């Protein structure tokens, strides 16, 4: 049979693989361009004809981002805000998800629907009232001005993901705990939580990414240089007349790295976390 | 060690479903009590009520002398083995077994000692550092047992603990579970839908159907003296053949289909009420093992002529499926067990000596052990004794 005689690299060439390759290229190309450009000299960034590979390789853009524009500060701000929000979302959200998924309580369904509605609420609609609120309580220009709203707006989705994951864990897990004399909190901590790590990581990765890349609230609520996060920081690089593309690219590369690492490390969990609810219901 | 006593136990689920009706049952110290019944009859519900995982709607539940209706599961001094084992996947075997002891805040080395003792009994010593995922089905089952026995409870509850194992291992584990239970001498309630498991394991067996206890007795008594045709058909493998019959001639003659069997005097001595059914219809139960191939010396009044429809050679015996012109009485809820090799294609099954040569399509004559026939009231389904 002809089909079976294909060996080596030839058997990998079929339509499906071709489609995958095209999609990957489509996604990777801008990223390649971003990384490549960040290592060009500032002059070569906009060179005609374009440089497909940086030559010479230069770190001038990185130098400019960190030394000239104080990107380190923004990076630190982003880390503080994002990590704090993610931890809050995971700790509150996993408890809420557990309660909504597993504990007997009234009004679960309306609560879940409400959460879903909140999670699709357009940010632009809340940012002005939020500004006024923050102004009144004097939080403008502080970490909590971002941490609290980030936590609030990322909670619903995280709760949903984690709830679905908890639903997939057999009830008997808690029941053995009950018979053995474990308190509800102990059961949650020692039995349920360790089994739910994929769901928690998934929610964590999504929350982290959302906070890390959030722009509108960060721009509105924490505009001062000391509290600026990466997205706002990069957007405000340069002056009205100068757009330092090379520097922006360099900063963007640095900004993407943590997310890349996160997804890479947790990729297995994320995949199982996203599919588990679907399969086990 | 303690007794378990259920008095008039009822369970109505929040959705209004009445799952258990007036169940009364006593499990003696050290006794192995099996609850058996078709799927959905309420076995798990009963066990969960005893464990304290479901509220008791009404009735009294005692463990030892204490009424425990409103006592938390952890204070009932019970251990439960679940059908899916519910092993903690993130803990090693040792941690799984020792978890309950850890909750009791026993010192570490004492926990280790007890865990090792349990592992020794169960043959798990070399697996103590593994995770459940790395174990075979049988080993996982043992871990679940281990988790129950380290706690030294006064009552064991087991919900179909062997149903996830393959047939061969299941047979082996039946003996194992019994051995461990006997060694510990703990009152045990064991749930299964498999009547063979029930018969081979139970000191006594309680047969449930639709949330009601039909009969609770030793396996032998259930087999010989079923209270009704459901128990008669449910207990025993292959299942009892049930036919519409008619008694006449003062109850001495039995007509099944167009054939007539003569009932000897001993039947009436054992079942005096049978006389009063003379001239009326009865349901006749014939166990597959009460039929054997007729020989020339067979008394004419005990012969049943049939046609074989399927013959299964099992080595030690032949399963002969046959049909004849009698009306079969069907009972809901009795389905063939997966372990059973039968598909019930004909209108009856006989279990006979393999030396008889018979093949599908043959006409043959059976000798009926008439003193072992069962009779049931056709209206109520109750046994006639
Ligand atoms: N939580 C529940 N709510 C309502 N009905 C239930 C619930 N749990 C079980 N049932 C019903 O009770 C009956 C007995 O269930 P169960 O005890 O699990 O049966 P078994 O273990 O004998 O198969 C079934 O008909 C089942 O549908
Ligand atoms: Mg059950």
């Amino acid at each position: 049979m002809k089909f079976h005689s294909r060996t080596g690299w030839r058997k990998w060439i079929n339509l499906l693989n071709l489609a995958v390759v095209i999609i990957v290229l489509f996604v990777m190309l801008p990223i390649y361009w971003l990384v490549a450009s960040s290592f060009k000299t500032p002059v070569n960034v906009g060179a005609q004809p374009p440089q497909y590979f940086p030559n010479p390789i230069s770190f001038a853009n990185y130098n400019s981002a960190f030394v000239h524009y104080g990107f380190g500060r923004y990076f630190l701000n982003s880390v503080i805000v994002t990590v704090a929000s993610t931890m809050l979302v995971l700790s509150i959200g996993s408890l809420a998800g557990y309660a909504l998924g597993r504990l007997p309580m009234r009004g679960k369904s309306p609560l879940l629907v409400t959460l879903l509605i909140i999670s699709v609420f357009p940010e632009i609609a809340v940012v002005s009232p939020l500004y006024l609120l923050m102004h009144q309580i004097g939080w403008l220009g502080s970490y909590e001005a971002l941490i609290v709203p980030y936590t609030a707006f990322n909670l619903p989705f995280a709760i949903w993901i984690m709830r679905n994951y908890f639903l997939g864990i057999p009830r008997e897990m808690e029941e053995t705990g009950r018979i053995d004399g474990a308190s509800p909190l102990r059961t949650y901590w020692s039995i349920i939580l360790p089994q739910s790590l994929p769901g928690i990581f998934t929610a964590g990765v999504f929350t982290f990414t959302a906070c890390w890349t959030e722009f509108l609230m960060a721009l509105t609520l924490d505009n001062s240089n000391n509290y600026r996060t990466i997205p706002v920081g990069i957007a405000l690089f340069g002056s009205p007349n100068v757009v330092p593309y090379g520097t922006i690219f360099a900063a963007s590369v640095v900004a993407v790295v943590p997310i890349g690492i996160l997804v890479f490390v947790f990729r297995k969990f994320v995949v199982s976390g996203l599919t588990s609810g679907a399969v086990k219901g | 060690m303690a007794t378990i006593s259920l008095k008039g136990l009822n369970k109505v689920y929040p959705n209004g479903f009445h799952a258990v009706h007036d169940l009364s049952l006593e499990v003696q110290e050290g006794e192995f009590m099996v609850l058996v019944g078709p799927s959905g009859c309420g076995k798990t519900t009963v066990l969960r009520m005893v464990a304290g995982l479901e509220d008791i709607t009404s009735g009294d539940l005692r463990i030892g002398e204490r009424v425990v209706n409103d006592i938390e599961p952890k204070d009932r001094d019970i251990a439960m083995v679940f059908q899916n084992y519910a092993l903690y996947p993130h803990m090693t075997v040792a941690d799984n077994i020792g978890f309950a002891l850890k909750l009791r805040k026993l010192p570490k080395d004492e926990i280790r000692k007890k865990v090792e003792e349990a592992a020794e009994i169960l043959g798990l010593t070399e697996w103590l550092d593994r995770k459940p995922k790395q174990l075979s089905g049988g080993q996982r089952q043992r871990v679940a047992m281990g988790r129950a026995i380290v706690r030294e409870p006064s009552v064991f509850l087991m919900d179909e603990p062997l149903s996830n194992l393959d047939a061969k291992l299941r047979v082996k584990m039946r003996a194992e579970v019994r051995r461990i239970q006997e060694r510990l001498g703990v009152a045990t309630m064991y749930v299964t839908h498999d009547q063979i498991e029930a018969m081979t394991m139970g000191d006594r067996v309680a047969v449930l159907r639709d949330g009601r206890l039909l009969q609770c007795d030793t396996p032998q008594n259930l087999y010989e003296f079923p209270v009704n045709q459901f128990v008669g058909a449910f207990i025993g493998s292959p299942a009892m053949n049930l036919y519409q019959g008619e008694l006449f001639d003062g109850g001495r003659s039995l007509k099944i289909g167009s054939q007539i069997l003569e009932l000897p005097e001993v039947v009436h001595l054992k079942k005096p009420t049978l006389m009063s059914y003379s001239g009326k219809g009865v349901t006749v139960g014939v166990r597959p093992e009460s039929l054997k191939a007729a020989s020339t010396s067979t008394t004419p009044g005990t012969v049943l002529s049939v046609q074989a429809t399927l013959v299964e050679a099992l080595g030690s015996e032949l399963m002969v499926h046959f049909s004849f012109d009698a009306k079969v009485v069907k009972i809901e809820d009795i389905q063939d067990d997966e372990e059973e090799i039968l598909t019930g294609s004909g209108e009856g099954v006989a279990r006979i000596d393999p030396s008889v040569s018979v093949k599908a399509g043959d006409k043959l004559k059976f000798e009926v052990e008439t003193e072992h026939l069962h009779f049931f009231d056709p209206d109520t389904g109750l046994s006639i004794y």
Side-chain angles (χ1 to χ4, degrees):
Chain A
M1 300 256 292
K2 228 174 167 176
F3 187 78
H4 288 287
S5 66
R6 290 203 216 168
T7 52
W9 61 275
R10 284 166 66 108
K11 81 175 174 200
W12 294 103
I13 301 191
N14 57 41
L15 274 179
L16 201 66
N17 286 328
L18 207 65
V20 172
V21 169
I22 290 173
I23 291 170
V24 168
L25 279 181
F26 195 75
V27 175
M28 289 304 290
L29 211 63
I31 296 179
Y32 171 75
W33 202 247
L34 175 73
V35 176
S37 299
S38 74
F39 288 106
K40 294 172 188 171
T41 60
V43 184
N44 279 343
V45 168
Q48 273 302 346
Q51 263 192 341
Y52 294 104
F53 190 80
N55 182 26
I57 290 178
S58 142
F59 291 92
N61 293 322
Y62 289 87
N63 196 38
S64 155
F66 279 96
V67 177
H68 188 71
Y69 287 104
F71 183 69
R73 174 86 229 173
Y74 306 153
F75 193 90
L76 183 68
N77 289 342
S78 268
V79 168
I80 292 172
V81 169
T82 302
V83 169
S85 306
T86 305
M87 306 251 276
L88 277 171
V89 164
L90 291 187
S91 42
I92 301 171
S94 68
L95 280 168
Y98 182 63
L100 285 169
R102 289 313 265 271
L103 301 184
M105 63 191 249
R106 271 171 215 278
K108 269 188 203 177
S109 312
L111 218 58
L112 281 166
V113 172
T114 312
L115 285 177
L116 210 57
I117 292 172
I118 294 175
S119 70
V120 295
F121 214 72
E123 210 185 355
I124 191 83
V126 292
V127 81
S128 323
L130 206 56
Y131 178 84
L132 288 178
L133 180 72
M134 292 295 175
H135 181 71
Q136 273 176 359
I137 58 179
W139 277 14
L140 287 179
S142 69
Y143 289 128
E144 57 268 31
L146 288 184
I147 292 172
V148 172
Y150 281 2
T151 304
F153 284 97
N154 283 295
L155 259 177
F157 185 60
I159 290 176
W160 263 89
I161 291 186
M162 290 189 270
R163 181 196 87 108
N164 283 354
Y165 207 84
F166 290 135
L167 280 181
I169 296 177
R171 256 181 196 290
E172 286 85 356
M173 291 291 169
E174 285 132 325
E175 291 175 343
T176 43
R178 245 182 105 191
I179 292 174
D180 286 347
S183 66
L185 214 58
R186 178 69 193 255
T187 306
Y188 171 73
W189 185 254
S190 302
I191 299 172
I192 301 299
L193 208 57
Q195 297 184 46
S196 324
L197 290 181
I200 303 222
F201 287 143
T202 309
V205 168
F206 274 87
T207 306
F208 189 95
T209 311
C211 298
W212 189 256
T213 56
E214 203 284 333
F215 180 75
L216 191 58
M217 285 189 198
L219 178 70
T220 316
L221 306 174
D222 266 349
N223 197 359
S224 72
N225 200 45
N226 278 345
Y227 292 98
R228 229 174 253 174
T229 57
I230 291 174
V232 181
I234 292 179
L236 299 184
F237 273 174
S239 63
N241 301 320
V242 186
V243 183
Y245 284 112
T247 315
I248 291 175
F249 288 165
S252 301
V253 169
V254 176
V256 165
V257 166
I259 293 187
I261 293 174
L262 210 63
V263 171
F264 186 77
V265 170
F266 293 124
R267 65 192 185 287
K268 256 200 204 145
F269 291 117
V270 171
V271 172
S272 77
L274 280 181
T275 50
S276 79
V279 181
K280 296 185 200 151
Chain B
M1 261 162 268
T3 58
I4 314 167
S5 147
L6 292 64
K7 279 224 176 66
L9 232 49
N10 276 282
K11 174 69 191 182
V12 181
Y13 277 112
N15 66 2
F17 183 75
H18 199 157
V20 176
H21 296 261
D22 281 328
L23 181 74
S24 296
L25 199 64
E26 298 260 347
V27 187
Q28 306 304 326
E29 273 183 27
E31 188 178 27
F32 198 94
M33 170 70 80
V34 178
L35 298 185
V36 71
S39 164
C41 70
K43 308 177 296 285
T44 298
T45 306
V46 173
L47 210 63
R48 290 172 57 86
M49 282 196 286
V50 176
L53 299 171
E54 291 290 348
D55 291 335
I56 294 168
T57 308
S58 69
D60 270 354
L61 171 68
R62 281 168 204 268
I63 294 177
E65 294 304 304
R66 231 171 16 145
V67 176
V68 295
N69 285 36
D70 298 320
I71 288 180
E72 270 293 300
K74 69 176 164 65
D75 300 321
R76 292 189 185 193
D77 200 14
I78 51 160
M80 182 153 172
V81 178
F82 291 91
Q83 183 168 6
N84 62 7
Y85 313 149
L87 302 181
Y88 308 137
H90 55 288
M91 295 185 196
T92 61
V93 170
D95 289 341
N96 261 289
I97 297 178
F99 186 67
L101 304 178
K102 200 169 145 197
L103 288 176
R104 287 188 199 161
K105 303 211 160 50
L106 291 191
K108 269 217 170 72
D109 40 335
E110 194 173 333
I111 295 180
R112 188 77 210 174
K113 204 175 125 244
K114 285 184 188 244
V115 168
E116 275 164 8
E117 267 172 32
E120 184 68 44
I121 296 177
L122 293 157
L124 280 172
T125 308
E126 52 186 311
W127 313 106
L128 278 178
D129 294 323
R130 301 275 182 110
K131 294 268 176 72
K133 231 193 340 202
Q134 301 161 296
L135 302 180
S136 70
Q139 289 164 342
R140 287 182 205 183
Q141 208 285 325
R142 280 169 222 252
V143 178
M145 292 282 296
R147 218 160 51 170
I149 67 179
V150 276
R151 303 186 36 214
E152 296 164 13
S154 47
V155 167
F156 274 144
L157 305 173
M158 306 188 192
D159 191 359
E160 312 219 10
L162 305 185
S163 64
N164 287 339
L165 305 180
D166 63 62
K168 223 174 184 170
L169 192 55
R170 205 181 316 165
V171 172
K172 182 167 164 241
M173 288 305 291
R174 280 179 202 156
E176 189 104 324
V177 170
R178 267 316 312 245
R179 177 179 67 83
I180 292 161
Q181 187 267 346
E182 265 160 27
R183 171 162 172 173
L184 302 171
V186 174
T188 301
M189 279 178 95
Y190 182 102
V191 161
T192 178
H193 67 272
D194 178 352
Q195 58 89 16
I196 301 182
E197 201 166 294
M199 295 292 278
T200 51
M201 295 179 78
D203 289 325
R204 282 192 299 156
V205 175
V207 184
L208 266 68
R209 186 193 192 190
D210 295 339
R212 290 186 169 84
L213 177 65
L214 299 182
Q215 189 171 8
C216 175
D217 214 327
T218 61
Q220 196 58 38
N221 281 347
L222 284 181
Y223 179 83
E224 282 178 35
F225 309 107
V227 291
N228 59 21
Q229 59 188 29
F230 177 83
V231 176
F234 188 76
I235 298 294
S237 172
M240 181 188 274
N241 307 303
L242 291 166
Y243 303 106
Q244 288 181 10
E246 204 181 317
L247 283 173
F248 58 95
D249 198 8
R252 272 189 295 269
S253 299
L254 170 68
K255 190 171 177 195
I256 308 180
S258 58
Q259 305 186 45
I260 292 173
L261 297 176
E262 300 299 333
L263 302 182
E265 197 51 38
V266 54
V267 172
H268 290 286
L269 288 178
K270 278 203 267 182
K271 302 175 163 65
T273 331
L274 199 56
M275 210 82 84
S276 63
Y277 282 82
S278 183
K280 287 193 267 183
V282 288
T283 299
V284 186
V286 189
R287 293 216 182 264
E289 46 276 30
S290 306
L291 294 170
K292 58 186 179 199
S295 64
T296 44
S297 60
T298 305
T299 342
T302 62
V303 172
L304 205 58
S305 302
V306 302
Q307 179 162 27
T309 54
L310 175 71
V311 178
E312 296 170 287
L314 300 183
S316 62
E317 58 202 11
L318 281 184
M319 296 288 178
V320 180
H321 298 248
F322 58 85
S323 66
F324 66 117
D325 62 353
K327 267 234 165 91
V328 173
V329 176
K330 286 245 181 291
I331 300 181
E332 276 174 65
D333 275 353
I334 297 199
Q335 65 265 70
D336 284 330
D337 213 82
E338 73 247 54
E339 253 185 54
E340 232 168 85
I341 318 91
L342 306 168
T343 43
S345 59
E347 292 181 34
V349 192
R351 183 183 203 162
I352 64 172
D353 195 301
S355 62
V356 179
S357 102
V358 52
K359 57 184 192 303
D362 285 357
K363 289 206 184 317
L364 75 159
K365 286 185 168 33
F366 284 131
E367 176 182 345
V368 183
E369 294 175 354
T370 41
E371 68 272 30
H372 290 140
L373 289 177
H374 293 262
F375 297 93
F376 307 98
D377 186 295
D379 300 324
T380 62
L382 294 177
S383 287
I384 303 167
Y385 288 115

